[in-house]
Amino acid sequence: MSNESPLKIIISGAKGRMGQAVKECAEADPENFEVAAGIDVGEKLEDVIAQADAVIDFSAPEALHTTVRLCVENGKRLVVGTTGHDEKQLKAARSGANNIGIVMAPNFSVGVNTLFWMTQKAAEILGEDYDLEVIEMHHHHKKDAPSGTARRLGEILAKARGLDYDTQTAHGREGLIGARPKDEIGMHSLRGGDVVGDHTVIYATNGERVELSHKASSRDAFAKGALRAAQWLGDRPNGLYDMQDVLGLR
Ligand code: NAP
């Protein structure tokens, strides 16, 4: 990847775990990236946004509305890595994407995006005889559950099997709940220690089961993917994209 001049980025959530990883990865690749500024809680994006070509957001869901508005007003591309947005916040991104290019992905790693692709293929091949379960584990600081990546895996499974993610997902199980319905996706969130991000999709039937797993051991995979997405947006029409678009997996 080489540009005439490095892509100037602003990191929102700059003091956080992902913000730091993006900064380090960008600084390790000065030919392609320059960190123009970083903002965190209490600092204003409007004070620095003019300095950059792109904003990379790994902050908190409630920041999205303002971040999208400022990127639209200033004509900047936007990469959103933050997860856990509600429908109203997502609507802001969808409407902002009429005016700028936005890449929004629950997981920017190439490995996880390959897992997304394989999850769909396996669901299509294995069909209705297989019970579908998703397990994720993250560090004890993580605020949202299930992870955005696990949710996306659940949505992929639901679509492939003609199920409704919102109403046909069981988030954990407890008590005398009876036999497992066929038309259900099980979703289980584990939290502990410093786990960067593990995801497993299980397809279980009588006599066999298939497990697809991804384990992240460093945040660099997400950070490098987010930087790649910011660069990829450069020559794209306005719109809302995800990492499957960036990697050409669609
Ligand atoms: P983190 O360590 O808590 O970092 C978030 C940072 O953003 C903190 O410094 C936080 O400050 C700050 N912040 C909060 N509200 C803000 C606002 N309105 N404006 C600017 N900064 C704000 O969390 P993390 O582990 O880096 O994760 C950040 C987000 O990225 C989470 O939603 C996580 O799920 C997601 N994530 C996505 C990917 C991906 O590939 N898409 C990968 C990993 C993580 P305070 O601590 O003071 O609140």
Short mmCIF file of all heavy atoms in Angstrom, two decimals, residues 9 16 22-23 32 58 63 68 73 75 79 98 111-114 151 155 161-162 177 188 199 204 217:
data_model
loop_
_atom_site.label_atom_id
_atom_site.label_comp_id
_atom_site.label_asym_id
_atom_site.label_seq_id
_atom_site.Cartn_x
_atom_site.Cartn_y
_atom_site.Cartn_z
N ILE A 9 -4.91 10.78 9.76
CA ILE A 9 -6.05 10.24 10.52
C ILE A 9 -6.18 10.93 11.89
O ILE A 9 -5.20 11.40 12.46
CB ILE A 9 -5.93 8.71 10.73
CG1 ILE A 9 -4.64 8.36 11.50
CG2 ILE A 9 -5.99 7.96 9.42
CD1 ILE A 9 -4.68 6.97 12.13
N GLY A 16 -7.82 4.70 24.62
CA GLY A 16 -8.30 3.34 24.88
C GLY A 16 -7.38 2.28 24.31
O GLY A 16 -6.38 2.58 23.65
N VAL A 22 -4.23 1.44 17.21
CA VAL A 22 -4.30 2.12 15.90
C VAL A 22 -3.13 3.11 15.78
O VAL A 22 -2.46 3.17 14.74
CB VAL A 22 -5.65 2.85 15.72
CG1 VAL A 22 -5.64 3.71 14.46
CG2 VAL A 22 -6.81 1.85 15.66
N LYS A 23 -2.88 3.85 16.86
CA LYS A 23 -1.79 4.83 16.84
C LYS A 23 -0.45 4.13 16.57
O LYS A 23 0.32 4.55 15.70
CB LYS A 23 -1.76 5.54 18.20
CG LYS A 23 -0.72 6.63 18.32
CD LYS A 23 -0.96 7.42 19.60
CE LYS A 23 0.01 8.57 19.76
NZ LYS A 23 1.34 8.17 20.19
N ASN A 32 2.43 5.40 4.75
CA ASN A 32 1.00 5.40 4.42
C ASN A 32 0.11 6.20 5.37
O ASN A 32 -0.98 6.61 4.97
CB ASN A 32 0.49 3.95 4.38
CG ASN A 32 0.93 3.25 3.12
OD1 ASN A 32 0.60 3.67 2.02
ND2 ASN A 32 1.70 2.18 3.28
N PHE A 58 -12.84 4.34 17.74
CA PHE A 58 -12.91 3.20 18.66
C PHE A 58 -13.20 3.78 20.04
O PHE A 58 -12.36 3.72 20.95
CB PHE A 58 -11.59 2.41 18.68
CG PHE A 58 -11.41 1.48 17.52
CD1 PHE A 58 -10.63 1.85 16.43
CD2 PHE A 58 -11.99 0.22 17.51
CE1 PHE A 58 -10.45 0.99 15.35
CE2 PHE A 58 -11.81 -0.65 16.43
CZ PHE A 58 -11.03 -0.26 15.36
N ALA A 63 -20.94 8.25 21.07
CA ALA A 63 -20.17 9.28 20.33
C ALA A 63 -20.54 9.31 18.85
O ALA A 63 -20.22 10.28 18.15
CB ALA A 63 -18.68 8.99 20.47
N VAL A 68 -20.38 11.30 13.24
CA VAL A 68 -20.91 11.25 11.86
C VAL A 68 -21.23 12.67 11.39
O VAL A 68 -20.85 13.08 10.28
CB VAL A 68 -22.17 10.36 11.78
CG1 VAL A 68 -22.86 10.52 10.44
CG2 VAL A 68 -21.81 8.89 12.01
N GLU A 73 -20.14 17.25 7.87
CA GLU A 73 -19.97 18.72 7.72
C GLU A 73 -18.60 19.08 7.15
O GLU A 73 -18.44 20.09 6.46
CB GLU A 73 -20.15 19.41 9.07
CG GLU A 73 -21.60 19.48 9.52
CD GLU A 73 -21.76 19.98 10.95
OE1 GLU A 73 -20.77 20.43 11.57
OE2 GLU A 73 -22.89 19.89 11.45
N GLY A 75 -16.62 16.85 5.33
CA GLY A 75 -16.27 16.02 4.18
C GLY A 75 -15.14 15.03 4.46
O GLY A 75 -14.26 14.83 3.62
N VAL A 79 -14.21 5.66 9.67
CA VAL A 79 -14.14 4.22 9.96
C VAL A 79 -14.63 4.01 11.39
O VAL A 79 -14.09 4.63 12.32
CB VAL A 79 -12.69 3.71 9.80
CG1 VAL A 79 -12.56 2.27 10.27
CG2 VAL A 79 -12.23 3.84 8.36
N ASN A 98 -24.99 8.87 3.14
CA ASN A 98 -25.44 9.47 1.88
C ASN A 98 -24.46 10.55 1.43
O ASN A 98 -24.41 10.90 0.25
CB ASN A 98 -26.83 10.12 2.05
CG ASN A 98 -27.89 9.07 2.28
OD1 ASN A 98 -27.86 8.01 1.66
ND2 ASN A 98 -28.83 9.36 3.17
N GLY A 111 -8.87 -12.32 9.49
CA GLY A 111 -9.23 -13.68 9.91
C GLY A 111 -10.70 -13.78 10.27
O GLY A 111 -11.39 -14.73 9.86
N VAL A 112 -11.22 -12.82 11.03
CA VAL A 112 -12.63 -12.89 11.43
C VAL A 112 -13.55 -12.70 10.23
O VAL A 112 -14.60 -13.32 10.14
CB VAL A 112 -12.94 -11.87 12.55
CG1 VAL A 112 -14.43 -11.58 12.63
CG2 VAL A 112 -12.47 -12.42 13.88
N ASN A 113 -13.12 -11.85 9.30
CA ASN A 113 -13.97 -11.67 8.11
C ASN A 113 -13.98 -12.92 7.24
O ASN A 113 -14.98 -13.22 6.60
CB ASN A 113 -13.54 -10.41 7.36
CG ASN A 113 -14.09 -9.18 8.06
OD1 ASN A 113 -15.24 -8.81 7.85
ND2 ASN A 113 -13.31 -8.62 8.98
N THR A 114 -12.89 -13.68 7.27
CA THR A 114 -12.90 -14.99 6.62
C THR A 114 -13.85 -15.93 7.37
O THR A 114 -14.58 -16.71 6.76
CB THR A 114 -11.46 -15.56 6.60
OG1 THR A 114 -10.60 -14.59 6.04
CG2 THR A 114 -11.39 -16.84 5.79
N ARG A 151 -22.60 -11.08 17.48
CA ARG A 151 -23.92 -10.69 16.94
C ARG A 151 -23.93 -10.84 15.42
O ARG A 151 -24.88 -11.36 14.85
CB ARG A 151 -24.23 -9.24 17.35
CG ARG A 151 -25.62 -8.83 16.95
CD ARG A 151 -25.94 -7.37 17.16
NE ARG A 151 -27.12 -7.07 16.38
CZ ARG A 151 -28.36 -7.02 16.85
NH1 ARG A 151 -28.57 -7.19 18.12
NH2 ARG A 151 -29.38 -6.79 16.06
N GLU A 155 -26.29 -13.08 13.14
CA GLU A 155 -27.10 -12.54 12.04
C GLU A 155 -26.85 -13.31 10.74
O GLU A 155 -27.78 -13.56 9.96
CB GLU A 155 -26.79 -11.05 11.84
CG GLU A 155 -27.33 -10.18 12.97
CD GLU A 155 -26.80 -8.75 12.95
OE1 GLU A 155 -25.85 -8.46 12.19
OE2 GLU A 155 -27.32 -7.93 13.71
N ARG A 161 -30.38 -19.42 7.54
CA ARG A 161 -31.40 -20.42 7.91
C ARG A 161 -32.83 -19.87 7.90
O ARG A 161 -33.77 -20.54 8.30
CB ARG A 161 -31.08 -20.93 9.32
CG ARG A 161 -29.98 -21.98 9.33
CD ARG A 161 -30.52 -23.37 9.00
NE ARG A 161 -31.24 -23.88 10.13
CZ ARG A 161 -30.70 -24.57 11.11
NH1 ARG A 161 -29.43 -24.89 11.06
NH2 ARG A 161 -31.42 -24.97 12.13
N GLY A 162 -33.00 -18.62 7.45
CA GLY A 162 -34.33 -18.04 7.39
C GLY A 162 -34.92 -17.78 8.76
O GLY A 162 -36.14 -17.86 8.96
N ILE A 177 -35.87 -25.42 30.94
CA ILE A 177 -36.31 -24.73 29.72
C ILE A 177 -36.79 -25.69 28.64
O ILE A 177 -37.25 -25.25 27.59
CB ILE A 177 -35.18 -23.84 29.16
CG1 ILE A 177 -33.91 -24.67 28.96
CG2 ILE A 177 -34.92 -22.65 30.05
CD1 ILE A 177 -32.87 -24.01 28.11
N HIS A 188 -23.63 -17.22 23.57
CA HIS A 188 -23.06 -17.32 24.91
C HIS A 188 -21.83 -16.43 25.03
O HIS A 188 -20.90 -16.55 24.24
CB HIS A 188 -22.69 -18.78 25.21
CG HIS A 188 -23.80 -19.71 24.87
ND1 HIS A 188 -24.88 -19.93 25.69
CD2 HIS A 188 -24.04 -20.43 23.74
CE1 HIS A 188 -25.73 -20.76 25.11
NE2 HIS A 188 -25.25 -21.08 23.93
N HIS A 199 -13.95 -16.33 19.17
CA HIS A 199 -15.30 -16.61 18.67
C HIS A 199 -15.35 -18.03 18.09
O HIS A 199 -14.46 -18.39 17.31
CB HIS A 199 -15.71 -15.61 17.59
CG HIS A 199 -15.87 -14.23 18.12
ND1 HIS A 199 -14.84 -13.33 18.21
CD2 HIS A 199 -16.97 -13.59 18.63
CE1 HIS A 199 -15.28 -12.20 18.75
NE2 HIS A 199 -16.56 -12.34 19.01
N ALA A 204 -24.11 -28.47 15.35
CA ALA A 204 -24.16 -29.79 15.99
C ALA A 204 -25.38 -30.57 15.52
O ALA A 204 -26.51 -30.06 15.53
CB ALA A 204 -24.21 -29.62 17.51
N SER A 217 -4.95 -12.75 19.21
CA SER A 217 -3.98 -12.69 20.30
C SER A 217 -3.38 -11.29 20.44
O SER A 217 -2.59 -11.03 21.34
CB SER A 217 -2.87 -13.72 20.08
OG SER A 217 -2.38 -13.64 18.78
#
